[in-house]
Amino acid sequence: MRRGRRAVLASAVTAAAVVFSALIGGALSTTTAQAAVSEPCDIYAAGGTPCVAAHSTVRALYAAYSGSLYQVRRSSDNATANIGVVAAGSVANSAAQDSFCANTSCVITIVYDQSGHGNDLAYQGPGGSGGTDKPSNATSESLIVSGDKVYSLYINPGNSYWHNGSSSGMPLGSAPQGAYMVTSGTHVNGGCCFDYGNSETDRHADGAGAMDAINFSTSCWFGGCSGSGPWVQADLEYGLFSGGSQSWNQGQRAFPNRYVTAMLKNNGTTQMALKGGDAQSGGLTTLWNGSLPPGYNPMHQQGAVILGSGGDCCASGGGNLSLGTFYEGAVVAGYPSDATDNAVQANIVAAGYGGTAGTPPPSSPPPSSPTPAAGAPLHAVGAGKCLDDPNSSTTQGTQMQINSCSGQAGQSWTHTASGALSLTVGGSTFCLDANGQGTSPGTKAIIWSCNGQSNQQWNLNANGTITGAQSGLCLDVTGASTANGAPVELWTCNGGSNQQWKLGG
């Protein structure tokens, strides 16, 4: 292990436009800025710190961008397809992915660079950018952005992406750099290392300052971090830093929100800043704004772009133990101003992460625990039965089964805006849960108190399967049984009729 061996609603858009107008010295009126519909990389460019790498699986990061966002590869025939945007400056065309991946599974092989510098991220593994990792499942997590369904880049241990950008615009040496990403505080761990930013070109640990990447995880390497995480930190090589030293940064705080904005900027010689915020509402919290750690001034950036792993991962069997979620992010040349940071955050909030499909982005954040609508039976199509909570049990950990459809409370399921499948019995609401946060075939499907964790989030796919957001496995009737009482579990998706489900009807 690397660480072990190294010492659009008008109100929201208007608010963003006002900040953007102020950022460029009033050269644009608020009305003009609204008309321009500036996205994050337009805002960075206006502030004099242009994007040199810009990645997202959910939306365009330039108002004029109309190219591909990412590439998927399907398992049935290894064919690939590029997934673009619905229109210039808009969200990903998830319908194109759903059509291409229907009745099979897909992985994300490339995340394209929107900046024009060619810093496309390929997965670190055979057939990708080289190494031992594998590409991420393309349908592990769906979400809503700007009122439309999109998919995240859902990183589990053994998934990561990389590109050598040393000759394509990435900051080198002690050149100043800024970076941001939108990630999730509900799909995290302390493994090494969920990073996005500047890393080594040789994929080895090359010394202090060889990396300049955002880290988002529950790993507090030097101890003393506030709360239980996850935290926004700087991976500068040989350490995760929450501030300018190896001691506790009093300004550090955790960000367990469903959607999180994380920022790092570094002038390369004397100063860095860390910021974080809720990507659905509000502004940024400055976690650190001060000196670089001793021994890291000047920096020694090499210019590779890393996503989902640390600097010395995956070249020749190096372990990648991290997990995390990536929605969007960019690396910029220069040290962004605070006004630029604030304008980017306002734009992210206006994008409407976690809204309701078919509606504009919310003017205020949705509730963290959406109130479920009236429930409906969840049909096990192959068996002609329904997903059933035995005897309408209110005991946490009860394994779900199939049973004759009865219309009773123990068969009334609701797919909430947060992705949960909830069930209200005995006056209490429970969620369908992957037992013990299991990610291996055979994990029991149980009920548990709703907690918003990724093992309680489920994707209802166009091909009739229901997949766990954390595991990517399919909800499965054990042994393809059609008998009442047959247990339900998670299993590798195989196209079987016992993995076909329909909510309602």
Side-chain angles (χ1 to χ4, degrees):
M1 290 176 59
R2 174 166 76 97
R3 297 299 171 199
R5 72 174 182 261
R6 292 196 286 182
V8 187
L9 284 188
S11 58
V13 174
T14 300
V18 171
V19 176
F20 179 66
S21 179
L23 166 66
I24 59 175
L28 295 176
S29 69
T30 299
T31 302
T32 304
Q34 279 184 260
V37 194
S38 295
E39 303 298 353
C41 283
D42 301 311
I43 295 169
Y44 278 119
T49 52
C51 292
V52 293
H55 306 99
S56 178
T57 61
V58 305
R59 66 172 183 144
L61 301 182
Y62 293 86
Y65 187 78
S66 59
S68 297
L69 297 180
Y70 59 99
Q71 181 188 85
V72 294
R73 185 179 70 209
R74 62 190 179 198
S75 60
S76 58
D77 59 3
N78 285 326
T80 60
N82 290 336
I83 306 302
V85 291
V86 174
S90 68
V91 297
N93 187 352
S94 64
Q97 175 180 318
D98 288 340
S99 175
F100 182 76
C101 299
N103 301 314
T104 187
S105 60
C106 278
V107 293
I108 295 177
T109 49
I110 300 172
V111 184
Y112 290 108
D113 176 19
Q114 301 179 33
S115 75
H117 287 267
N119 288 313
D120 302 332
L121 292 170
Y123 69 93
Q124 291 195 95
S129 61
T132 58
D133 266 3
K134 298 177 181 179
S136 296
N137 187 299
T139 56
S140 288
E141 183 194 48
S142 63
L143 65 148
I144 301 299
V145 173
S146 296
D148 288 311
K149 172 189 171 184
V150 292
Y151 290 101
S152 70
L153 183 65
Y154 199 82
I155 301 285
N156 280 320
N159 304 145
S160 64
Y161 295 77
W162 185 87
H163 176 77
N164 185 348
S166 59
S167 60
S168 49
M170 284 289 289
L172 303 176
S174 60
Q177 174 189 289
Y180 89 96
M181 71 172 169
V182 177
T183 182
S184 174
T186 63
H187 179 230
V188 292
N189 72 356
C192 181
C193 297
F194 187 68
D195 291 349
Y196 176 64
N198 199 320
S199 185
E200 291 96 338
T201 56
D202 60 3
R203 288 187 271 213
H204 291 92
D206 291 335
M211 291 186 67
D212 191 6
I214 303 168
N215 177 270
F216 191 69
S217 69
T218 58
S219 177
C220 183
W221 206 30
F222 298 120
C225 295
S226 175
S228 58
W231 302 283
V232 179
Q233 298 180 88
D235 191 343
L236 304 180
E237 195 55 279
Y238 288 7
L240 302 180
F241 291 90
S242 63
S245 71
Q246 293 186 6
S247 61
W248 179 24
N249 168 22
Q250 298 289 337
Q252 184 59 268
R253 52 151 290 190
F255 288 93
N257 313 71
R258 175 70 187 276
Y259 303 104
V260 177
T261 304
M263 288 185 178
L264 165 66
K265 54 187 181 182
N266 185 333
N267 73 1
T269 54
T270 60
Q271 182 178 5
M272 74 172 185
L274 287 162
K275 298 182 180 183
D278 185 340
Q280 292 183 296
S281 65
L284 296 167
T285 297
T286 298
L287 308 169
W288 176 258
N289 185 14
S291 63
L292 285 165
Y296 290 81
N297 47 350
M299 294 289 292
H300 305 284
Q301 299 166 126
Q302 295 188 15
V305 190
I306 195 74
L307 173 55
S309 70
D312 61 354
C313 166
C314 316
S316 57
N320 174 26
L321 305 178
S322 67
L323 59 81
T325 313
F326 182 84
Y327 303 108
E328 65 176 81
V331 178
V332 308
Y335 193 86
S337 68
D338 290 339
T340 298
D341 297 339
N342 293 337
V344 170
Q345 168 67 358
N347 175 275
I348 292 166
V349 170
Y353 273 87
T356 302
T359 63
S363 56
S364 59
S368 56
S369 299
T371 301
L378 183 55
H379 296 276
V381 176
K385 304 288 173 69
C386 283
L387 184 65
D388 179 87
D389 173 23
N391 300 313
S392 296
S393 173
T394 57
T395 301
Q396 295 195 124
T398 299
Q399 184 171 11
M400 297 299 94
Q401 62 179 21
I402 57 168
N403 210 335
S404 298
C405 298
S406 64
Q408 299 300 309
Q411 295 182 358
S412 184
W413 298 91
T414 300
H415 193 227
T416 71
S418 65
L421 280 164
S422 67
L423 181 76
T424 300
V425 289
S428 299
T429 300
F430 300 91
C431 281
L432 187 67
D433 180 290
N435 185 43
Q437 297 191 331
T439 57
S440 59
T443 297
K444 295 178 180 180
I446 64 172
I447 55 167
W448 199 265
S449 296
C450 299
N451 55 33
Q453 296 299 306
S454 55
N455 64 313
Q456 293 186 350
Q457 294 164 16
W458 305 89
N459 299 312
L460 275 58
N461 304 308
N463 63 4
T465 61
I466 296 177
T467 49
Q470 183 180 52
S471 66
L473 300 174
C474 276
L475 194 66
D476 177 287
V477 180
T478 303
S481 175
T482 60
N484 283 342
V488 175
E489 61 185 5
L490 298 184
W491 200 262
T492 304
C493 298
N494 55 32
S497 61
N498 62 316
Q499 295 182 351
Q500 295 289 304
W501 303 88
K502 181 180 179 181
L503 182 62

